[in-house]
């Protein structure tokens, strides 16, 4: 039985979300022979490709923050299910590689102890799927859980973020994060990156809360 399952997994990809084998019948399937999420599960994430702006910077979110995204992100980040790192950006890989091919990724930071306890930085691993250069030059100086903060307290999140002494002159920078809620972290990151005189800044978010578009 074990040999049969191994043979099946070699011929047919297994979805890391629903655990069902699936045929590579979509355009995406022809491009990627090692798919990790089936088309039905990808659609269940409610893809959005929504553009918006913050501090005059062009931003793009791939999904809205639905219950399904929340569930899978908790499984990946909170339950340390490392195998899920590929599922969020896999379907967008070609598009994002073309759109940001000359950009350097700067991920939103986690408190270092959280990364050590988890065994990985979830934002870095999520965006490593793109194969772009990643520079972890922004750091969080103390542990702050934004879910426990008021809206006014979240506005001060920049007080716990610092950037390395680096020269970003003539560099194209892509700031990335997993979830965009109030935008406080992204605003603070933009301010820090701007202080290093980059050539261009863009923002890419995996999932964004829907309410912000309705304000």
């Amino acid at each position: 039985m074990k040999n049969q399952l191994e043979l099946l997994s070699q011929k047919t990809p297994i979805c890391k979300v629903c655990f069902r084998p699936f045929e590579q019948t979509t355009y995406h399937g022809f491009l990627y022979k090692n798919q990790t999420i089936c088309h039905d599960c990808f659609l269940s994430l409610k893809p959005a490709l929504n553009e918006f702006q913050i501090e005059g910077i062009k931003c793009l979110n791939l999904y809205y923050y639905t219950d399904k995204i929340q569930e899978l992100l908790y499984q990946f980040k909170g339950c340390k299910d490392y195998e899920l790192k590929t599922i969020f950006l896999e379907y967008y890989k070609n598009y994002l590689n073309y759109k940001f091919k000359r950009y350097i990724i700067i991920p939103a930071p986690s408190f270092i102890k959280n990364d050590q306890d988890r065994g990985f930085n979830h934002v870095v691993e999520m965006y490593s799927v793109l194969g772009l250069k990643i520079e972890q030059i922004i750091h969080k100086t103390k542990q702050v859980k934004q879910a426990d903060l008021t809206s006014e307290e979240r506005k001060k999140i920049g007080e716990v973020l610092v950037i390395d002494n680096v020269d970003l002159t003539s560099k194209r920078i892509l700031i990335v994060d997993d979830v965009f809620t109030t935008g406080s972290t992204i605003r603070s990151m933009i301010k820090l990156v701007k202080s290093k005189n980059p050539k261009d800044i863009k923002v890419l978010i995996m999932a964004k809360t829907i309410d912000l578009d309705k304000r």
Side-chain angles (χ1 to χ4, degrees), residues 59-207:
C59 309
L60 175 70
N61 63 283
L62 305 180
Y63 309 95
Y64 283 113
Y65 192 53
T66 61
D67 290 342
K68 186 65 175 178
I69 288 284
Q70 183 180 26
E71 172 192 333
L72 290 172
L73 190 57
Y74 175 74
Q75 186 177 340
F76 171 50
K77 178 182 176 181
C79 300
K80 308 175 186 179
D81 191 346
Y82 185 77
E83 289 299 313
L84 291 181
K85 75 170 192 171
T86 59
I87 67 169
F88 301 100
L89 273 65
E90 183 178 278
Y91 259 74
Y92 293 110
K93 183 177 179 179
N94 268 9
Y95 168 71
L96 295 175
N97 278 341
Y98 176 77
K99 187 176 182 67
F100 301 115
K101 61 183 177 181
R102 294 189 178 91
Y103 284 74
I104 297 171
I105 289 177
I106 296 182
S110 297
F111 188 55
I112 189 168
K113 188 178 185 304
N114 292 344
D115 289 345
Q116 291 171 345
D117 291 343
R118 188 183 301 115
F120 58 90
N121 180 295
H122 67 288
V123 177
V124 170
E125 295 302 325
M126 180 185 296
Y127 284 92
S128 68
V129 174
L130 300 181
L132 300 175
K133 184 178 181 181
I134 298 177
E135 296 281 359
Q136 291 180 263
I137 61 174
I138 295 180
H139 312 280
K140 188 176 285 187
T141 57
K142 72 176 187 177
Q143 188 172 12
V144 178
K145 187 175 181 181
Q146 292 205 55
D148 296 333
L149 303 179
T150 65
S151 58
E152 287 301 313
E153 289 172 331
R154 290 188 184 192
K155 292 178 182 178
K156 300 178 181 179
I157 192 68
E159 295 177 4
V160 301
L161 299 184
V162 296
I163 190 169
D164 291 344
N165 184 21
V166 294
D167 183 10
L168 299 181
T169 305
S170 301
K171 303 289 180 62
R172 292 180 172 91
I173 302 301
L174 179 63
I175 295 172
V176 303
D177 203 354
D178 56 348
V179 177
F180 184 107
T181 51
T182 64
S184 298
T185 297
I186 294 299
R187 286 187 177 88
S188 298
M189 292 182 69
I190 288 173
K191 183 178 180 180
L192 289 172
V193 171
K194 278 185 174 180
S195 72
K196 301 300 179 180
N197 302 310
K199 181 176 182 178
D200 190 30
I201 303 174
K202 294 288 191 300
V203 173
L204 177 60
I205 305 294
M206 188 273 287

Side-chain angles (χ1 to χ4, degrees), residues 48-66:
L49 279 182
N50 173 64
E51 295 182 340
F52 62 106
Q53 287 197 14
I54 182 169
E55 304 294 335
I57 301 297
K58 291 182 179 179
C59 309
L60 175 70
N61 63 283
L62 305 180
Y63 309 95
Y64 283 113
Y65 192 53
T66 61

